Structure formats: structure tokens, C-alpha cells
Amino acid sequence: DMRGARTLRLALLVSALVAAAFAIPKWSPSRKTPKPYTNPVKDKLARGEPVFGGFVTIPSAKVIENLAVPGYLDFVWIEAEHTEFGPDVVQELTRACENEDLVPIVRVPKNDVDLVKKYIGAGVMGVVVPALRTVEDFTYAVKMLKYPPEGFRPAGVERGNRYLGRFAEYKAVANKLVMVILMIETYDAVRNIDQIVKIPGIDVLHIGPYDLSLDMGVDMTSPILAQAIQNVSIAAQRFGIPLGGAAPTLSNALGRMSQGFRFFTVPGDMEMIWAGVNNYFAGANGTKAVGAKSQHQLWEHELF
């Protein structure tokens, strides 16, 4: 009868709705695209723009996270030469840099591939090599940071290549993206500068005036030191190699761009701490605010 037919249709409709509500949707896994390897610092330098980085000697991600808050910095210089930092600390600080979109750069303890490979494997996008003297020293430093055929960097199960899972992709770009930053901090390096600037693969020559003055046997106010740095500047500009240095103020950095400087570190974490405390008490008992007589400002007031 009609009532029975309507009841049947209603039952079928309810059944269909229930089945649809509990049906297993069609699904297939979708693969996330890994974040590509990039180096914005190298891109900026290629365009002739200055870059600025924090100088970190405190082994805490909190320091890097706080440096990132104002939004001005491009990179972080992770200081592993004059600190107790081992590769494990550098790796954790590298993660912090990546989380804050800052390019991680490490200064390693010495020019030794067996040591440096442990640091570069953390995933840093730049390596600063200290205490170089001869053309051979500089050539070795470049080659240890590059895979064959450009160098002799070994392959390994490293975070940088995500433990070989992205090795093919990483290897294809590493020689181009991982910056080679070499220190000019010995008198021999100054004397050899005309040959050093001809070495392929150098991204930045970073001036270390304190060690350079010690090696030359002069103080930081010496015109001999200033002339040595000027000679490096002239040679580097001739071959289009950016210079790096510590910049106590923004005006100091911008003023040195005419000499070929593009790669700057702001005052370090330790200096910011003691300067902050000193400035808090400026005026008490004759205390002056830190700034004009900061050690780093010898660059501004004496050398240039």
C-alpha cells in the first residue's frame, strides 16, 4: 500500500544518509615539499648590498631568538674559535638561526678539514676560517669547504644534508651556497694579498684588526696597521671580493662601504650585556655611557 511504500522509501533514505556519514573518504598520502636550500646573505652581497649579523658567544638559542626580534639582522656569527662551542652546540644554534630566518655562519677553531667537517655538517651556510698566512693556507681553506671537483670536502651522515636523505639536492648547491669567509689577521696574509685575491671561491675577506696588530707588532692606533688594511681593501675591491669587519655603529658600517666593506657584525652578545649595565648606571659616580670608547670603536675613531 501507499503507507508501506513511503515507509520503505524513508528507511532507504535514512540508511543512505547514515552510510554517507560514516563512509571512509578516499585518501592518499601527500608529500610535503622540503624547504629549499638558500643563502640570502650571499644573494645580498652579490647585489652589492650590506649584510649585518649578530656575534654569538653564549651557547643559548634564547640569544639568537632575541637578536632576531628587532628584524634587522641577516645572519648570526656563531663563535666557535674563542669559545667552548663544539659541533653539537653549533648544531643547536644553527637550528635556532633557521627558526628565525637568520643565516647561520660559524667561525671554526682552525684550518683543518678533519675538524671543520664536523661544524659544516651542522647545516651552517657559511664558514669563517682564522689564522691563515700563506697562499697555500687560503687555497686549502677554500677547497676543504667544497665538494669535488672544486675541493675535497668529504661526504657524511650530517644534518646539513639531513643525514643523507637530501644529499643529492644538498651536494648540487652546497659549493655555491655555503660561504667561504677567510680571515685577514696575519701580516703574512697582508703581504700575500695580491695572490690571495686571485684564488677562486672566496666569498668574503674578513679583517681581524686585533690579531693583525699583534702579529705586526704595532698597537691598534698605528698608521702602519691602517695602511695594511687599506692595502687589503684595494686588492679585494680590484677583484670584487667583499670585505668584512666588526662595526660598532651603523654609521661606521655605512661609512666603510666605500672601502669595499659589506659584511658586518654588530657588537657581540657579551659586549651588549656589559654595555647595557654600564649605560643603565651612566652618570652615577662619574660613569660615562659606553659608546665613544668601546674597543670596537677603535675601528671608527682610529683606523678609518
Side-chain angles (χ1 to χ4, degrees):
D1 58 9
M2 294 294 293
R3 181 179 296 180
R6 284 197 299 271
T7 301
L8 178 59
R9 286 197 298 270
L10 180 60
L12 291 173
L13 177 59
V14 171
S15 178
L17 291 174
V18 170
F22 290 95
I24 299 175
K26 292 183 178 179
W27 177 87
S28 61
S30 59
R31 183 176 183 268
K32 293 182 179 179
T33 302
K35 186 177 180 180
Y37 293 106
T38 61
N39 191 335
V41 166
K42 189 162 185 176
D43 294 340
K44 277 192 170 185
L45 290 175
R47 295 192 297 266
E49 300 174 25
V51 293
F52 296 85
F55 190 91
V56 172
T57 64
I58 300 172
S60 172
K62 293 180 180 179
V63 174
I64 292 171
E65 290 165 348
N66 275 282
L67 285 172
V69 169
Y72 292 113
L73 298 182
D74 302 288
F75 68 92
V76 169
W77 175 305
I78 302 171
E79 178 54 42
E81 182 190 12
H82 295 292
T83 65
E84 71 281 9
F85 292 2
D88 53 344
V89 172
V90 171
Q91 182 163 283
E92 290 306 310
L93 297 181
T94 296
R95 286 193 178 101
C97 289
E98 292 172 351
N99 288 341
E100 300 298 332
D101 290 325
L102 294 170
V103 174
I105 293 173
V106 63
R107 177 157 67 172
V108 294
K110 63 179 180 178
N111 190 24
D112 180 351
V113 68
D114 289 331
L115 175 66
V116 171
K117 66 184 180 183
K118 299 178 184 296
Y119 289 90
I120 193 173
V124 296
M125 282 288 133
V127 177
V128 184
V129 186
L132 307 173
R133 293 185 175 276
T134 67
V135 174
E136 290 74 22
D137 289 342
F138 281 81
T139 301
Y140 178 94
V142 173
K143 290 185 175 296
M144 77 172 173
L145 300 178
K146 296 186 180 294
Y147 289 119
E150 296 175 53
F152 50 80
R153 177 185 172 183
V157 182
E158 302 166 342
R159 181 181 176 274
N161 61 46
R162 296 303 187 268
Y163 315 105
L164 295 181
R166 298 178 65 185
F167 179 72
E169 177 189 356
Y170 178 78
K171 181 180 178 296
V173 299
N175 285 2
K176 177 182 178 182
L177 294 185
V178 178
M179 294 178 63
V180 177
I181 304 164
L182 306 183
M183 297 292 301
I184 302 290
E185 55 184 352
T186 67
Y187 201 12
D188 286 337
V190 173
R191 286 191 286 248
N192 291 319
I193 193 62
D194 288 332
Q195 288 73 47
I196 290 168
V197 292
K198 296 177 183 178
I199 300 170
I202 299 175
D203 293 298
V204 174
L205 289 173
H206 194 88
I207 309 292
Y210 304 107
D211 282 331
L212 181 55
S213 68
L214 291 172
D215 201 54
M216 295 177 68
V218 299
D219 62 34
M220 286 287 292
T221 63
S222 170
I224 299 174
L225 176 62
Q227 184 59 56
I229 294 174
Q230 184 64 21
N231 292 344
V232 173
S233 170
I234 292 170
Q237 289 185 84
R238 192 166 64 245
F239 282 81
I241 301 174
L243 292 178
T249 65
L250 179 60
S251 62
N252 170 266
L254 298 179
R256 286 157 55 196
M257 287 184 64
S258 62
Q259 297 169 309
F261 285 84
R262 296 289 187 277
F263 183 91
F264 301 103
T265 53
V266 303
D269 49 10
M270 292 292 191
E271 182 174 351
M272 288 186 176
I273 291 172
W274 61 253
V277 173
N278 191 83
N279 289 342
Y280 180 86
F281 289 98
N285 302 318
T287 302
K288 295 182 180 180
V290 173
K293 292 299 181 182
S294 169
Q295 276 194 332
H296 279 168
Q297 289 189 315
L298 287 168
W299 276 78
E300 183 175 15
H301 296 290
E302 306 292 351
L303 293 181
F304 297 97

